[in-house]
Amino acid sequence: MCLCPESLRLIRGNHETSAMNKLYGFDGEVRAKYNGKLADLFQEIFCCLPLGCVLGKKVFIVHGGLFSKDGVKVEDLKSIDRFHEPPDEGPFCEMLWSDPCCEPGRYPSKRGIGIAFGPDVTKKFIIENNLELVIRSHEVKDDGFEIEHDGSLITVFSAPNYCDQMENKGAFIRFESDMVPHITTFNAVNHPPVRPMQFAPHIF
């Protein structure tokens, strides 16, 4: 962000929430290494992050996925009050938690929150919003990324060896003036000399 302020944007994911930060150890690590005031400040900042963005009027970028209802327009999403912890349903929640699936249609999510949405849902959303591509994260991929829904959706996951145990690659996508996605993958580096998930509750 500091090196390339015109090229990088942060958006909110399901881990930028109080409950997930406690579960996966971020809150505990900040409190252990710094103090509770800084941990609380992080939570406040996370509530200010945008829920998604559109790149070059062609690419919709979101952490989780698409919606339980048809007819959602990008313009409608701008009116969501994001300055709080996410609800358990609705567009705010779905942007953080939903996942693509192979079958057409919509289904209950295996996570118990958000939805699973098929290639027909992605195609309709893209057409109705005059877009070309959806990019999202939210799922570990062995190679760091996966192209889905007939090329209209890309999952990119930038945390290699997730939770210090998945042995997956990480990846990122770069766009230049041609608006073609250029994918780079990378491996995890050696872990610092601390126990994996050191600051998470002892459920892992």
Side-chain angles (χ1 to χ4, degrees), residues 70 103-106 117-125 149:
D70 289 331
E103 299 80 13
R106 294 178 172 91
F117 60 96
D120 56 323
V121 175
T122 300
K123 182 178 180 179
K124 188 170 185 178
F125 177 80
H149 292 186

Side-chain angles (χ1 to χ4, degrees), residues 10-30:
L10 294 179
I11 62 172
R12 191 175 186 181
N14 66 308
H15 280 259
E16 283 71 59
T17 60
S18 178
M20 294 297 285
N21 281 326
K22 288 180 171 63
L23 180 64
Y24 281 83
F26 178 75
D27 183 80
E29 183 171 3
V30 174

Side-chain angles (χ1 to χ4, degrees), residues 35 65 67 70 89 100 115 133 142 153 156 159 170 174 178:
N35 53 58
F67 307 98
D70 289 331
E89 60 183 9
I115 65 159
L133 181 65
D142 288 344
L153 183 145
V156 58
R174 187 183 74 256
D178 57 6

Side-chain angles (χ1 to χ4, degrees), residues 92-151:
F92 186 164
C93 169
E94 292 157 1
M95 292 176 77
L96 304 185
W97 283 100
S98 291
D99 297 296
C101 63
C102 297
E103 299 80 13
R106 294 178 172 91
Y107 304 90
S109 171
K110 60 187 178 184
R111 302 175 188 270
I113 187 169
I115 65 159
F117 60 96
D120 56 323
V121 175
T122 300
K123 182 178 180 179
K124 188 170 185 178
F125 177 80
I126 284 175
I127 292 173
E128 290 182 344
N129 286 279
N130 196 29
L131 299 167
E132 294 181 0
L133 181 65
V134 173
I135 294 180
R136 44 87 65 180
S137 185
H138 196 42
E139 289 181 286
V140 177
K141 298 297 180 182
D142 288 344
D143 294 324
F145 74 98
E146 184 175 355
I147 300 173
E148 306 171 74
H149 292 186
D150 301 318

